[in-house]
Amino acid sequence: MSDTFVVVGGDAAGMSAASKAKRDDPDLEVVVFEKGEWVSYGACGLPYYVKGEIQSLEALVSVTPEEFREERDIDLRTGHEVVSIDPDERTVTAEAVSDGDSESVVQPYDRLLIATGAEAVVPPIGGVDLEGVYTLGSMSDGKELREYVARARDGESFQQPDRGPACRFLEDCAGPVAVVGGGYIGIEMAEALAANEYEVNLFQRSGRVLTGFSEATSEAVADHLREREVALHLDAEVEELTNDGDGAVEAVVTADDRVPVEMVLLGTGVRPRTALAEDAGIELGETGAIATDAYRETSAPDVYAAGDCAEATHVVTGEPTYASLALTANRHGRAVGQTVAGRPTEGGGVAGTAAVKAFDVEAARTGIVDEEEARAAGFDPVTETIEANSRAGYYPEGGTVTVTLAADRDSGRLLGASLVSEFGEGAVHRSHAVVAALTEGATVFDLEDYDLAYAPPFNTTWDPVLVAAKVLSGTLR
C-alpha cells in the first residue's frame, strides 16, 4: 500500500508541494483539503483585478481544480475545511460543507503539510463590521471589491445580497473612500481606486508609507501619490469608523480629524493562520508563525509547514523571520514535495525581497535597510543613498534610480537595499543583484566589482547599484 501525503491548504505552498510530490513519486497518494472553491491562485493580482486591468478572477488561477484532479492525479477536495489534526493518531478531520449540510471526514496521513496561509489583520477599532468596510485577503474579497468599483463606474442600480442598502445606486458609492494602511496592499489599492476616479484618502499611523523601505524610497512614493491626488494622512492612527445610522460606514476618525468616506479598505497587514497547528500542540516560533527546521518539518514528526503560516530563515541574520511572500511559499512548498517524495530538500533562506508599484513609480527592497533593525540584529549599520541615471545620458529615453545601500561598518558585509525609480526604469530588476549578494554573504566591496551588463538603452556604464556600492565603499574605507 502506498504512503499518503495530506496537504491542508490549496494555494501556493500547498499545491506546489502536492504537485511536486506526485510528479516525483507517482505512486504516492496525495490528498489536498481546501475550504474554499479556489486553488492555486495569484492573490497578488487582486488589486489589479479590482482596478480593472485584469478582467476575470479566473485569469488569476494558475491551475484549475479539474486539472489537478484529472491531469495530475491529485485527490483535491475543495469545500473541505480541516478542523483538527491528531499527530499521535496521524489523522486530520475535515468538514465537508454542501448545500448547508456538513459531513466529517477523518483522513489518515503518513506525512502532512500545513499550508494554511495568512489572513488579513483587522485592527481592534470600532466600526470594522460596518457595511462598506472591506479587506483584501481572498478571491471572494476581491470579487466584492470589484463589484463595488463596477457599481460606481458603470452607474448600474445594484443591490448586493445580504449587505443592506449601502451603495445601492451610483450616487451612493462614487466616493470619497479610505484606505487604512500604507504598505503593499494599501499602496496598490490606493492606485486601483484612484484610477477608477475615487477621491482616495490613505491613512498611515506612522510618519511615512512603506516603512520597510528606506526613507528616500518612502518619500519618493509618497510624493508621487500626492501628485496623483491621493490624500495622505500620515501619523494618523485610525481610532474608529463611524456609523451613518443605517449600518454603513460614514467616516474615518483619527485623534486629529474626522474624514467622511463611503467605503473603507483595511490594508493593515496579514498574520499567519496558526490556530490549527496550535490546537494540535505544534510549536510556534518567536515571530508567531509555525516554527520549522531547514526542511520545513515542525515539532510534530512528519508534519511540515510552509508558506504564509510558517517561519523562514533570514539570509542576513540567520534568524527566524516571517515573510508572507509568494515566491517563498512556492519555493518552500516545492521543497517539501521533494522531501516527502524521498529526496530531502531544504527550503532555503529569504531576504524579505519585495516590490510595489504606485502609479508611475516602482520600488523594491531586500535585506535590512532600517538601521534600528540592523542594530538589533547585532550589526553596526552604515547607509548611503545615491541618485543615478537609469540609462546612458545621451540615450533619448530614461529617468533616474535612487538606491539606498546598507552595510556593516566593521565587516563591510552588505545588509540590504531599497530602490525606487519611474515605472519601467529598473528599480525592481536592479534589486536582484543585491539579492544575490545578500544570499552569498558578500561585502559591499564585492558588490562594487560585480560585472553587471551595460548597453545605453538599459543602463549607464556604472549601473546605479554599482554607483551606490562605490559610494558606500568609500564611506567604509
Side-chain angles (χ1 to χ4, degrees), residues 203 233-240 252-259:
F203 295 84
H233 304 263
L234 304 179
D235 287 318
E237 184 168 5
V238 175
E239 297 182 345
E240 181 185 11
V252 175
V253 178
T254 68
D256 302 317
D257 206 355
R258 181 184 183 278
V259 181

Side-chain angles (χ1 to χ4, degrees), residues 147-159:
E147 289 172 348
Y148 177 89
V149 170
R151 288 195 299 276
R153 185 174 61 241
D154 299 336
E156 294 182 0
S157 180
F158 184 88
Q159 176 69 56

Side-chain angles (χ1 to χ4, degrees), residues 267-290:
T268 47
V270 299
R271 59 171 164 245
R273 288 194 181 99
T274 59
L276 195 62
E278 288 184 86
D279 291 345
I282 295 171
E283 293 179 5
L284 303 187
E286 59 189 60
T287 70
I290 302 171

Side-chain angles (χ1 to χ4, degrees), residues 120-180:
V121 171
V122 177
I125 59 174
V128 293
D129 57 348
L130 293 173
E131 298 292 338
V133 178
Y134 298 85
T135 58
L136 188 60
S138 68
M139 295 284 267
S140 59
D141 290 342
K143 183 174 184 293
E144 286 191 35
L145 278 163
R146 174 68 174 257
E147 289 172 348
Y148 177 89
V149 170
R151 288 195 299 276
R153 185 174 61 241
D154 299 336
E156 294 182 0
S157 180
F158 184 88
Q159 176 69 56
Q160 184 167 333
D162 302 320
R163 288 190 62 85
C167 292
R168 178 179 293 177
F169 302 109
L170 172 63
E171 59 269 23
D172 294 324
C173 57
V177 299
V179 175
V180 180

Side-chain angles (χ1 to χ4, degrees), residues 296-321:
R296 322 307 307 158
E297 189 170 9
T298 70
S299 60
D302 296 320
V303 178
Y304 301 81
D308 292 355
C309 65
E311 289 186 333
T313 300
H314 202 290
V315 297
V316 175
T317 67
E319 297 296 324
T321 188

Side-chain angles (χ1 to χ4, degrees), residues 232-433:
L232 295 186
H233 304 263
L234 304 179
D235 287 318
E237 184 168 5
V238 175
E239 297 182 345
E240 181 185 11
L241 306 178
T242 60
N243 191 330
D244 69 353
D246 293 323
V249 66
E250 68 167 357
V252 175
V253 178
T254 68
D256 302 317
D257 206 355
R258 181 184 183 278
V259 181
V261 297
E262 295 174 353
M263 187 274 275
V264 175
L265 184 281
L266 301 175
T268 47
V270 299
R271 59 171 164 245
R273 288 194 181 99
T274 59
L276 195 62
E278 288 184 86
D279 291 345
I282 295 171
E283 293 179 5
L284 303 187
E286 59 189 60
T287 70
I290 302 171
T292 73
D293 65 12
Y295 295 93
R296 322 307 307 158
E297 189 170 9
T298 70
S299 60
D302 296 320
V303 178
Y304 301 81
D308 292 355
C309 65
E311 289 186 333
T313 300
H314 202 290
V315 297
V316 175
T317 67
E319 297 296 324
T321 188
Y322 180 61
S324 176
L325 298 167
L327 177 58
T328 303
N330 279 278
R331 186 158 49 93
H332 286 176
R334 177 183 171 86
V336 170
Q338 291 181 178
T339 297
V340 301
R343 183 155 51 102
T345 304
E346 294 188 13
V350 300
T353 309
V356 65
K357 175 181 176 293
F359 296 99
D360 301 319
V361 166
E362 62 178 76
R365 54 97 55 214
T366 187
I368 301 173
V369 292
D370 181 80
E371 292 192 356
E372 184 176 335
E373 182 183 352
R375 290 190 188 97
F379 299 104
D380 183 8
V382 178
T383 62
E384 290 287 356
T385 299
I386 63 95
E387 182 178 292
N389 288 337
S390 61
R391 313 184 194 203
Y394 53 80
Y395 194 78
E397 299 176 5
T400 60
V401 183
T402 300
V403 182
T404 299
L405 280 186
D408 180 55
R409 184 183 302 274
D410 295 331
S411 65
R413 182 180 177 184
L414 192 66
L415 300 180
S418 181
L419 306 89
V420 62
S421 71
E422 296 94 335
F423 182 64
E425 295 306 316
V428 172
H429 290 302
R430 283 181 166 88
S431 71
H432 297 163

